[in-house]
Amino acid sequence: MKKYKIIALSAWMVAGLASCELTEKPTSFYEKDTYFDSPAKAQMAVTGAYDCLSTTSHYGQFEMAMPSSDDTYYIQGTGTDNTRRDISHYMVNATNTWIASLWDLKYQGIDRANFAIAGIEDMPGYESDARLQELVAQARFLRAFLAFDLIKYWGDVPFKTTYSNGYGDAFQPRVSRELIYDEIISDLDFAKEKLQKASASLSPETPNQGAAHALLMRVYLQRAGYSLQQDGKLALPDDAGRMEYFNAVISEWTSFQAKGYHGFYDGGYKELFVGYSAGILNSKESLWEIAFNPIGDSYTDNAGTWATWNGPAVDAPVGTTAAMGRANAFFRVVPAWDAFFEPQDSRRTVMVCTYQYKWVNNAHQLTPNANLADWYPGKWRREWMPLGFVNPNNTGVNYCPLRYADVVLMAAEAYNETGNTPEAWNLLNRVRARAEATPITDANYSSLMKAPQVYDLPYIQDGDDAGKFRTALYWERGFELAFEGQRKYDLLRWGILGDALKLFQDNMNKSLKGKYVAGEKFIKGKHELFPIPLGELQSNPALNNRNNPGYE
């Protein structure tokens, strides 16, 4: 079962990067030069960086909106709200309050990591103390993870690897994402050697060496793909650069395999996700999980909304706290995916949930939904959690941003792009085998990867073996990884995000008319990035009041 980090910090020493917070010290402030006097204090500093992720307004809830809409899911309701709907439906602007909160939290987490890294490295005996070095590796992993979010969401942004210890330090100009990528890679190269090796006894709530290798693979793949530049154009690295990045993915995969331990969860695909909702830690397939441990009488501190925001709807129980809690179910699955799976594929009924729970006669009753607009993402569910609740909305369900199946598919992609398509097929079919799906071969490719089984993809040419693999990978990453935060950024780096949104909207069931609107709202050359928050533009003169393309 879950072994939570101790997140509550009775006396946190760091103010966030938001400029208004740097004008005076909080009452519980510690001076950096005198704080780091014991390993316990070092641990507390690193825990402060984790704490920035484990909040409802970061990875507990707000972050869920950022990778939607893609071609697998969207948020219910298209009326502007200046929060989640505007993000999901490509109606976002620079005043969006969730965008502002996420910007602040990511910088706060990076600043806390900077504080911890510098302080621990200055401690006596650091160079010979493996535990202190491992704490720095954790902080550098977290800094890399958050910096990668900054690049994906905003492109070229202010960035530094030193702690902001004064008002002026908060105001930084944009830094080229290529320089930020170099810093991320440096951090993860350190982490992959100094973090602990994965084992059954190491909680996945602590990143391990395998997680660092996996995040490096993701970073290299994103860097090898398309990205929106400040001139409003999508650009690719040159061919030599792309091959360098793809080969780096293969190198990390080779090292990842050599370190052993990680693999597919022994219990099968459905039980993997049942376990996430049930709070069962799984260090074999989970490379790293962001931990949520609601505390306090209101069950709000360090809480998430996994399984309530993004699972099937559950009516609020009346007069009891012994039943399932409520699930508001703000997200909706694109229902076409239900028909794309082979009947025996174990992922189909996990991805697409066609029912909800109604409160009838003082009990929850499973109720099928005939309305396609009320089909839900099904990977996290109240029904898979222990009965009883403190807060009807919040949960302690962890979020896993890095798991083994994703690593296998990333390696497969790199092999294909470097000319070893047979090995790419071998790896992709391992993922399909775990799901009991038919392995793809030359003989069955057309029946499995073309209409009417799935949509024909006019934006991926499959006239050769490499193109056939790209088509299969498009579908396989959707089958395997939908709603887990990667899909939108797969489509973006492949240069087909707008095309995919339009294809699915053009083919949507008429009942989704006016509900799934991503294909008509998405603007190429704008919506590949989010706007820098207006408050940041106004307070940071180094940004020259210049927003990302399309938001000026």
Side-chain angles (χ1 to χ4, degrees), residues 154-410:
W154 292 286
D156 301 339
V157 293
F159 183 76
K160 62 191 182 71
T161 56
T162 56
Y163 170 60
S164 295
N165 58 6
Y167 188 83
D169 283 349
F171 301 131
Q172 300 292 321
R174 288 182 188 263
V175 175
S176 166
R177 73 198 70 182
E178 298 305 319
L179 296 177
I180 302 174
Y181 270 128
D182 289 341
E183 293 288 352
I184 291 171
I185 291 167
S186 175
D187 278 346
L188 294 176
D189 280 341
F190 181 89
K192 73 187 184 185
E193 301 301 330
K194 299 298 184 180
L195 289 172
Q196 297 180 65
K197 288 187 176 180
S199 68
S201 61
L202 180 64
S203 168
E205 294 175 344
T206 300
N208 59 51
Q209 291 183 14
H213 286 293
L215 187 53
L216 267 169
M217 292 168 70
R218 184 175 293 166
V219 167
Y220 281 125
L221 282 181
Q222 202 76 34
R223 197 175 190 181
Y226 285 92
S227 60
L228 181 62
Q229 304 298 309
Q230 285 299 301
D231 62 4
K233 297 179 181 178
L234 287 175
L236 272 177
D238 61 31
D239 289 344
R242 297 190 78 220
M243 287 303 106
E244 176 187 346
Y245 301 143
F246 289 131
N247 281 316
V249 172
I250 295 171
S251 177
E252 297 303 327
W253 166 244
T254 301
S255 298
F256 177 92
Q257 289 182 291
K259 291 181 178 178
Y261 182 69
H262 287 298
F264 293 117
Y265 177 63
D266 294 332
Y269 190 82
K270 178 181 177 180
E271 291 305 313
L272 170 68
F273 285 94
V274 170
Y276 286 138
S277 292
I280 299 171
L281 290 179
N282 160 31
S283 60
K284 188 171 184 181
E285 179 143 357
S286 291
L287 279 60
W288 178 47
E289 297 180 14
I290 296 175
F292 290 94
N293 180 24
I295 55 177
D297 293 341
S298 62
Y299 211 68
T300 55
D301 293 339
N302 304 113
T305 55
W306 295 87
T308 62
W309 261 56
N310 56 353
V314 179
D315 281 352
V318 178
T320 179
T321 58
M324 288 187 282
R326 178 172 59 212
N328 292 320
F330 290 109
F331 289 94
R332 296 293 187 272
V333 69
V334 175
W337 283 85
D338 186 62
F340 295 155
F341 288 92
E342 294 180 280
Q344 78 278 14
D345 193 321
S346 61
R347 298 171 297 191
R348 180 175 65 85
T349 56
V350 176
M351 177 181 178
V352 183
C353 183
T354 62
Y355 59 80
Q356 61 181 302
Y357 281 92
K358 296 286 190 179
W359 187 251
V360 180
N361 296 327
N362 294 317
H364 277 122
Q365 178 176 301
L366 188 152
T367 306
N369 284 336
N371 185 354
L372 300 182
D374 289 328
W375 286 7
Y376 309 101
K379 287 187 169 178
W380 304 273
R381 308 187 191 190
R382 273 289 195 185
E383 68 190 88
W384 293 340
M385 297 173 61
L387 294 179
F389 60 92
V390 176
N391 183 302
N393 300 309
N394 293 341
T395 76
V397 175
N398 285 0
Y399 166 59
C400 178
L402 290 165
R403 65 180 179 91
Y404 179 75
D406 189 6
V407 178
V408 175
L409 291 175
M410 288 192 290

Side-chain angles (χ1 to χ4, degrees), residues 63-130:
E63 182 69 31
M64 293 178 187
M66 301 297 270
S68 67
S69 295
D70 57 21
D71 57 353
T72 66
Y73 77 128
Y74 60 99
I75 283 181
Q76 179 194 32
T78 56
T80 184
D81 61 0
N82 209 33
T83 59
R84 62 186 187 270
R85 290 174 180 167
D86 290 355
I87 293 170
S88 181
H89 297 302
Y90 301 98
M91 304 186 300
V92 67
N93 60 47
T95 65
N96 189 282
T97 59
W98 280 24
I99 294 289
S101 292
L102 289 167
W103 173 279
D104 287 347
L105 282 163
K106 291 181 193 301
Y107 277 105
Q108 186 182 73
I110 289 171
D111 207 39
R112 289 185 178 187
N114 290 342
F115 180 92
I117 292 163
I120 298 170
E121 287 179 340
D122 285 343
M123 291 177 69
Y126 167 77
E127 293 297 337
S128 59
D129 191 320

